Amino acid sequence: MPMEELYAITTRELAKDLVFEIDDEPVTLSIRGVLLARTDSKGYNFSFFELSEEEFVLVVQMKGFVVYLGIESDEELEEEVYPELVRALLEHLAPQIALLITKAEKDYPGRADLLLDDDMSSDLKEFFYGLLVKHRQGKPVYEQTEVA
């Protein structure tokens, strides 16, 4: 039953539309995908990847797990609003992500699983399924580049 409980937490706590005020304008953000994966690091960290002006991925790492949240905006977002947006998302979603990871710590036997695919765009699907394969194969997730 552990996977069913993780799916239930994801559906109940993370599969939602969020409305934030950014630059005095309401913006609706929809969580379209959630990927849970184990990581060797026990530290806390977060990252943000822009896939397009309307799609991005928020990555939160804690307690040996990393959670990828595929998020779609109802309008194009300018790069200068990202710091405010990430802060608002982390403030709002940290308790739900912590709940998911706490449950995974106790019962999750796998390496990586896609817990939510809510009508993701083809770009988000490609990104998420690429991550899923890399995590399951134990390959590095991020491309390494040389210093110029």
Side-chain angles (χ1 to χ4, degrees):
M1 283 294 251
M3 281 307 297
E4 289 83 8
E5 290 180 41
L6 293 176
Y7 286 118
I9 290 170
T10 302
T11 303
R12 183 180 66 243
E13 301 291 336
L14 295 170
K16 56 176 94 176
D17 292 339
L18 307 168
V19 180
F20 293 105
E21 191 171 295
I22 299 174
D23 288 340
D24 298 323
E25 293 290 323
V27 175
T28 302
L29 303 174
S30 302
I31 299 176
R32 298 287 185 202
V34 177
L35 175 73
L36 173 72
R38 289 188 180 278
T39 183
D40 293 332
S41 174
K42 298 286 184 190
Y44 294 80
N45 204 348
F46 72 90
S47 299
F48 181 84
F49 299 97
E50 178 187 35
L51 298 180
S52 72
E53 280 99 11
E54 293 107 10
E55 297 173 321
F56 53 91
V57 177
L58 178 64
V59 184
V60 179
Q61 176 185 315
M62 64 175 72
K63 299 181 177 180
F65 286 92
V66 61
V67 176
Y68 298 86
L69 301 169
I71 302 172
E72 181 181 281
S73 173
D74 66 341
E75 61 185 64
E76 289 185 18
L77 297 174
E78 299 296 323
E79 206 171 302
E80 49 275 353
V81 303
Y82 289 163
E84 180 183 348
L85 176 67
V86 171
R87 180 193 53 75
L89 282 168
L90 287 172
E91 282 179 5
H92 184 78
L93 296 173
Q96 292 91 340
I97 294 168
L99 174 66
L100 179 65
I101 290 175
T102 300
K103 183 64 180 166
E105 271 185 305
K106 294 176 186 169
D107 298 326
Y108 180 63
R111 184 180 285 255
D113 277 288
L114 189 64
L115 300 177
L116 176 68
D117 179 349
D118 185 14
D119 198 26
M120 282 194 287
S121 71
S122 58
D123 289 342
L124 271 174
K125 279 186 189 219
E126 182 179 340
F127 184 83
F128 270 72
Y129 284 98
L131 285 172
L132 180 64
V133 169
K134 286 179 180 179
H135 274 290
R136 284 191 174 173
Q137 293 175 347
K139 293 183 178 178
V141 176
Y142 305 108
E143 300 292 325
Q144 298 296 320
T145 57
E146 290 184 33
V147 176

